[in-house]
Amino acid sequence: MQSITIRRPDDWHLHLRDGAMLEGVIGDTSRTFARAIIMPNLVPPVVTTSDAAAYRERIMKALPAGHRFQPLMTLYLTEHTSPDDVEEGKKSGLITAVKLYPAGATTNSHGGVRDMEKSMPVLERMAKIGLPLCVHGEVTTPEVDIFDREAVFIETVLDPLRRRLPELKVTMEHVTTSDGIDYIKAAKDNLAGSITTHHLIINRNAILVGGIRPHYYCLPVAKRETHRVALRAAATGADPRFFLGTDSAPHIDPLKECACGCAGIYTSINTMSCLAHVFEEEDALERLEAFASLNGPAWYGLPPNEERITLSRQAEPVFFPAKVETGAGSVTVFDPMFPLHWEVTA
Ligand SMILES: NC(=O)N[C@@H](CC(=O)O)C(=O)O
Ligand SMILES: [Zn+2]
Ligand SMILES: [Zn+2]
């Protein structure tokens, strides 16, 4: 197949940051994607509905002329989040989901939740009004090995929460293990999972073999090959509970290339090219539309986009810059380590 036309995709997990970084990166998403769930882990985080309204305005202002893009706003769950504010946010149409960061689990998560008990009133309200909870599904217990943190989270946090509040809709974001995939598949209802572009392409060797490569470091950290294979099977398979959330997470290069580098991989600019490559490799190009454009809206109760994009396979590799220059500094673009031949052409 030399070209494929699909509904315009959405990104169900995206970091846009703020200020000069926001201005520098937003176009890479809005050029191709119609909507994105915007992560609230700014410094300080987006905690209240009025924070989210102000952030949404900054995003719309940063949007390049001529781009049509709808940011779907989220709130950063804290132990003090007000159930009424959350309900107000949903009612007004501003808030699409609330995000749980276990405190210390990832970039800018120190204000997250330490004691789930304290967040129960909000979670109960969300279950009642049908507002989804997006989770960064890793425990932060120092004794737990970093490669096991997702599996232990499922067992010790997520499963107990879902048993206690079965009506709560939960998105397990950036699933990185076969444990996560199996857990979602086994669920009766109210559970779905997003998968990133990079976790379909790299395993942990990319970070560690032949030298330490900070631009492949993200959280949850890439796991061993068997897990990547399971993620690919889920993304290209028929289960509609798996969909794209790029987790494109820009950091300026000096904060990645140092003794204690930040977690996050920037994929907004080449995600659809990478995905077409992966789906072609899996002989599943006809399933790309479900993963990138249909399953996500269905889960969030939104209509799929009416516009279409076309991806075409070029004879010569398609050019992407190694770095995106922003007013905040340069951001290294995800290198899939193979030439990309698919290009969004319309
Ligand atoms: N994925 C990452 O490695 N980093 C994200 C945070 C997150 O999604 O966990 C970031 O904000 O940089
Ligand atoms: Zn995360
Ligand atoms: Zn993220």
Side-chain angles (χ1 to χ4, degrees), residues 82-249:
S82 140
D84 289 344
D85 186 55
V86 165
E87 180 163 359
E88 203 43 56
K90 177 181 160 58
K91 273 197 187 139
S92 72
L94 177 70
I95 301 301
T96 299
V98 173
K99 174 75 188 235
L100 164 67
Y101 291 102
T106 188
T107 309
N108 303 336
S109 63
H110 41 274
V113 176
R114 258 162 249 280
D115 178 1
M116 285 291 283
E117 209 47 51
K118 298 206 170 118
S119 299
M120 282 317 288
V122 186
L123 297 173
E124 281 160 8
R125 185 74 66 89
M126 288 165 60
K128 196 171 141 210
I129 63 178
L131 186 63
L133 178 72
C134 293
V135 302
H136 179 109
E138 289 192 290
V139 292
T140 54
T141 331
E143 300 76 55
V144 176
D145 189 279
I146 189 165
F147 292 101
D148 299 331
R149 288 181 169 196
E150 185 169 294
V152 175
F153 179 88
I154 293 168
E155 195 187 311
T156 63
V157 182
L158 186 54
D159 197 55
L161 173 65
R162 293 188 54 251
R163 281 173 198 277
R164 188 163 165 189
L165 263 184
E167 324 79 60
L168 181 67
K169 245 180 119 151
V170 179
T171 311
M172 236 192 111
E173 302 205 283
H174 46 40
V175 179
T176 61
T177 59
S178 57
D179 310 72
I181 299 294
D182 293 345
Y183 183 69
I184 292 167
K185 283 193 168 162
K188 218 170 73 235
D189 52 16
N190 288 338
L191 185 64
S194 68
I195 301 177
T196 75
T197 308
H198 49 279
H199 288 115
L200 294 172
I201 295 175
I202 59 165
N203 62 31
R204 61 197 194 177
N205 282 6
I207 313 165
L208 296 169
V209 172
I212 186 155
R213 295 175 205 278
H215 296 294
Y216 293 117
Y217 175 61
C218 66
L219 288 169
V221 71
K223 308 296 191 298
R224 62 166 67 242
E225 179 63 5
T226 48
H227 294 291
R228 186 185 72 108
V229 169
L231 296 175
R232 278 198 174 210
T236 60
D239 192 326
R241 289 173 294 180
F242 298 102
F243 47 81
L244 175 64
T246 66
D247 193 17
S248 183

Side-chain angles (χ1 to χ4, degrees), residues 196-342:
T196 75
T197 308
H198 49 279
H199 288 115
L200 294 172
I201 295 175
I202 59 165
N203 62 31
R204 61 197 194 177
N205 282 6
I207 313 165
L208 296 169
V209 172
I212 186 155
R213 295 175 205 278
H215 296 294
Y216 293 117
Y217 175 61
C218 66
L219 288 169
V221 71
K223 308 296 191 298
R224 62 166 67 242
E225 179 63 5
T226 48
H227 294 291
R228 186 185 72 108
V229 169
L231 296 175
R232 278 198 174 210
T236 60
D239 192 326
R241 289 173 294 180
F242 298 102
F243 47 81
L244 175 64
T246 66
D247 193 17
S248 183
H251 292 279
I252 56 168
D253 287 329
L255 295 181
K256 296 279 299 172
E257 300 165 2
C258 57
C260 183
C262 298
I265 297 180
Y266 186 66
T267 54
S268 287
I269 195 168
N270 60 5
T271 274
M272 291 311 297
S273 297
C274 289
L275 288 177
H277 181 106
V278 166
F279 277 67
E280 182 181 43
E281 239 171 31
E282 299 294 326
D283 209 5
L285 267 177
E286 77 287 352
R287 304 214 58 89
L288 178 60
E289 183 177 47
F291 181 68
S293 317
L294 299 175
N295 296 349
W299 168 248
Y300 282 101
L302 297 166
N305 299 307
E306 283 306 327
E307 297 160 295
R308 305 290 194 276
I309 64 163
T310 297
L311 287 136
S312 309
R313 196 179 206 295
Q314 312 295 333
E316 293 300 314
V318 178
F319 171 80
F320 288 100
K323 291 169 191 291
V324 168
E325 301 299 335
T326 79
S330 68
V331 174
T332 293
V333 170
F334 175 63
D335 171 7
M337 296 178 282
F338 45 71
L340 288 166
H341 286 268
W342 286 91

